[in-house]
């Protein structure tokens, strides 16, 4: 079974990759390099994903996949965007982040939002390639569901009549922003791109 190294310490993301790549041994970079961290100084998902994948590929001297993802709420001018994980502070507290989004939206009737994921694949002596996936939804008035992580409990998907946090891991993998970006990556790896 071939290894795929993911430049992330986020257990939720690693689990998403494991579901979508069942034929590979998905490894978090933290299993290889303790305390691997790259400062996300980019102002786009693309820039941050590239920073992470290129730093990890250089450190390991092998092919690495990284992603940067987050929530964009249109009524909040795209916030939290690249600051999604640390929207309410550097502690990366999911509940505090959710409360900040709900508080800023207040009673607004424009609750349209999207999850965005950009996957970046880097390898020594190869040009970095990137793949983007999005999923459209609406922000709920309060948290619903126990699954997932991050903003999943307040992200409602009309087609499913559920929030992301009410979906099974498999259902989420089929429609998620990360799933869609990974599907593009899979086509690329199979030579279909």
């Amino acid at each position: 079974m071939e290894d795929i190294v993911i430049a992330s310490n986020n257990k939720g993301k690693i689990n998403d990759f494991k579901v979508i790549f069942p034929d590979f041994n998905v490894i978090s970079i933290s299993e290889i390099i303790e305390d691997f961290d790259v400062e996300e100084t980019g102002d786009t998902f693309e820039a941050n994903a590239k920073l992470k994948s290129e730093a990890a590929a250089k450190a390991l001297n092998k092919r690495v996949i990284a992603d940067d993802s987050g929530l964009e709420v249109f009524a909040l001018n795209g916030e939290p965007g690249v600051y999604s994980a640390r929207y309410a502070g550097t502690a990366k507290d999911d509940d505090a982040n959710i409360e900040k989004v709900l508080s800023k939206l207040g009673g607004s009737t424009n609750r349209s939002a999207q999850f965005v994921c950009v996957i970046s694949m880097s390898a020594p002596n190869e040009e970095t390639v990137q793949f983007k996936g999005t999923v459209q939804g609406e922000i709920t008035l309060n948290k619903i569901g126990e699954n997932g992580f991050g903003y999943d409990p307040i992200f409602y998907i009309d087609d499913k009549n559920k929030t992301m946090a009410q979906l099974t891991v498999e259902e989420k993998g089929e429609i998620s922003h990360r799933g869609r970006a990974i599907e593009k990556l899979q086509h690329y790896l199979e030579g279909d791109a």
Side-chain angles (χ1 to χ4, degrees), residues 123-186:
N125 306 313
E126 288 183 25
E127 193 171 325
T128 296
V129 291
Q130 295 190 308
F131 309 91
K132 184 175 185 177
T134 61
V135 62
Q136 307 301 310
E138 292 195 6
I139 302 302
T140 57
L141 294 171
N142 45 50
K143 295 193 290 186
I144 305 167
E146 302 295 323
N147 302 329
F149 63 98
Y151 297 94
D152 288 355
I154 61 167
F155 192 84
Y156 180 82
I157 299 166
D158 203 38
D159 290 353
K160 296 288 185 182
N161 199 27
K162 294 179 181 178
T163 66
M164 280 280 218
Q166 292 176 293
L167 300 176
T168 66
V169 175
E170 292 76 19
E171 287 174 322
K172 181 180 173 185
E174 289 170 11
I175 59 100
S176 77
H177 51 306
R178 187 166 294 107
R180 290 174 177 175
I182 289 173
E183 188 177 339
K184 292 177 183 177
L185 168 64
Q186 286 173 313

Side-chain angles (χ1 to χ4, degrees), residues 42-180:
D43 57 4
T44 64
F45 295 116
E46 288 83 358
N48 285 330
K50 188 174 184 179
L51 282 169
K52 291 186 274 190
S53 68
E54 289 184 350
K58 185 175 182 182
L60 296 176
N61 197 34
K62 67 190 309 180
R63 182 179 313 278
V64 177
I65 295 170
D67 87 331
D68 196 42
S69 56
L71 176 69
E72 293 180 332
V73 181
F74 301 119
L76 302 179
N77 297 315
E79 288 183 17
V82 295
Y83 303 105
S84 291
R86 53 195 185 280
Y87 194 45
T90 55
K92 297 184 178 181
D93 181 323
D94 288 348
D95 288 331
N97 290 337
I98 286 171
E99 288 310 313
K100 184 171 181 179
V101 167
L102 294 178
S103 174
K104 285 189 92 169
L105 269 177
S108 172
T109 54
N110 177 9
R111 303 184 81 81
S112 296
Q114 69 177 1
F115 271 130
V116 178
C117 176
V118 175
I119 290 182
S120 187
M121 184 173 67
S122 300
N125 306 313
E126 288 183 25
E127 193 171 325
T128 296
V129 291
Q130 295 190 308
F131 309 91
K132 184 175 185 177
T134 61
V135 62
Q136 307 301 310
E138 292 195 6
I139 302 302
T140 57
L141 294 171
N142 45 50
K143 295 193 290 186
I144 305 167
E146 302 295 323
N147 302 329
F149 63 98
Y151 297 94
D152 288 355
I154 61 167
F155 192 84
Y156 180 82
I157 299 166
D158 203 38
D159 290 353
K160 296 288 185 182
N161 199 27
K162 294 179 181 178
T163 66
M164 280 280 218
Q166 292 176 293
L167 300 176
T168 66
V169 175
E170 292 76 19
E171 287 174 322
K172 181 180 173 185
E174 289 170 11
I175 59 100
S176 77
H177 51 306
R178 187 166 294 107
R180 290 174 177 175

